[in-house]
Amino acid sequence: MNRDELLSIKKFRLGGLSGRARRIFVLTTVTILLTAIVVFATIPGPGGVISSCYHKNDGALRIIDSNDQCKSNEEPLSFNQTGQQGPEGPAGPSGTSQVYSIKEPGPFILLNTNGFQSVASKNVPAGSYVIDVKLTAVNGDVNKHNIFCTLSTGDTAEATVPDRNFSFPLDGNLAFGSVKLHDTYTFPDPGTINVLCRSELMSVKNVVLTAIKVDSIQ
């Protein structure tokens, strides 16, 4: 930069201007800044609408102020920052469940002459359920016996319980067998889940009935 250029810059300093010139310079600068702010504030326009012009020939797209007009070789095109809200989707499952459970320690003596005997029951409201039952069958006789158990909703199970001389870790004088039941069922009205068992000269203890209410069974 030469001496003349430095001199020109020095002469252009704001302090070197007259009072009227300084006022004009400041007002002009403020006007330019306010105009830029207003233009910026109108993009997007009212309601979040963005205005643009689409060139008919080359497809060029330029964003314009909402008050501006497109040229003769352009087509106006407007769009929103956010699209319109779509329709509400279907409601999903509630994701909640209710558990109905009962524990019967027993023992319940089973005699074949009495047929099926109830060893546990649980009242439940209308709805769909996943049902699980587990129980322990005990044989104190010297002979082997079978035990049959059923849920009133439909599932059945059978277990063979050996004689009491069978080597068993829980009790050397008794023989034990496990029975498990499982079912899914829908009650149109409030109902009762029953666990029924039948055997000869045996007993049942530690009956656990659990019914989990679910939204639906697929």
Side-chain angles (χ1 to χ4, degrees):
M1 185 176 293
N2 57 38
R3 184 172 178 277
D4 294 336
E5 289 174 338
L6 292 174
L7 183 62
S8 298
I9 293 174
K10 184 176 180 181
K11 290 181 178 180
F12 188 71
R13 289 178 180 175
L14 189 59
L17 299 175
S18 64
R20 182 173 181 275
R22 286 199 299 270
R23 288 194 297 272
I24 294 175
F25 178 81
V26 171
L27 289 175
T28 302
T29 303
V30 171
T31 301
I32 294 173
L33 290 175
L34 289 177
T35 301
I37 293 173
V38 171
V39 170
F40 179 79
T42 54
I43 300 175
V49 177
I50 300 176
S51 301
S52 67
C53 294
Y54 177 79
H55 199 285
K56 297 179 182 179
N57 296 328
D58 58 17
L61 183 70
R62 64 185 182 91
I63 306 299
I64 62 172
D65 180 80
S66 59
N67 297 320
D68 290 345
Q69 300 293 326
C70 293
K71 299 177 182 179
S72 59
N73 60 350
E74 295 176 326
E75 291 287 345
L77 179 64
S78 61
F79 47 92
N80 292 333
Q81 285 182 299
T82 57
Q84 296 180 351
Q85 183 176 356
E88 184 178 355
S94 63
T96 60
S97 60
Q98 295 173 310
V99 178
Y100 298 84
S101 181
I102 187 172
K103 297 180 180 179
E104 296 287 2
F108 302 93
I109 306 301
L110 303 179
L111 299 174
N112 192 39
T113 55
N114 295 335
F116 281 100
Q117 295 177 230
S118 176
V119 295
S121 63
K122 185 66 177 179
N123 295 327
V124 294
S128 298
Y129 293 85
V130 177
I131 306 167
D132 283 289
V133 175
K134 62 179 181 179
L135 58 87
T136 300
V138 183
N139 180 20
D141 193 11
V142 295
N143 300 311
K144 295 181 181 180
H145 296 284
N146 290 333
I147 181 170
F148 302 90
C149 293
T150 181
L151 275 171
S152 59
T153 57
D155 190 41
T156 61
E158 177 182 352
T160 299
V161 183
D163 61 64
R164 64 181 181 179
N165 294 321
F166 180 80
S167 177
F168 199 85
L170 293 182
D171 190 332
N173 295 320
L174 296 174
F176 298 85
S178 296
V179 177
K180 295 182 180 180
L181 301 168
H182 174 81
D183 199 10
T184 56
Y185 193 82
T186 298
F187 290 91
D189 301 298
T192 302
I193 303 172
N194 288 294
V195 183
L196 306 169
C197 292
R198 174 176 59 84
S199 187
E200 297 177 354
L201 301 175
M202 291 185 61
S203 62
V204 169
K205 67 177 184 178
N206 299 332
V207 184
V208 179
L209 164 62
T210 303
I212 302 175
K213 189 178 181 181
V214 297
D215 292 319
S216 62
I217 297 174
Q218 303 298 326

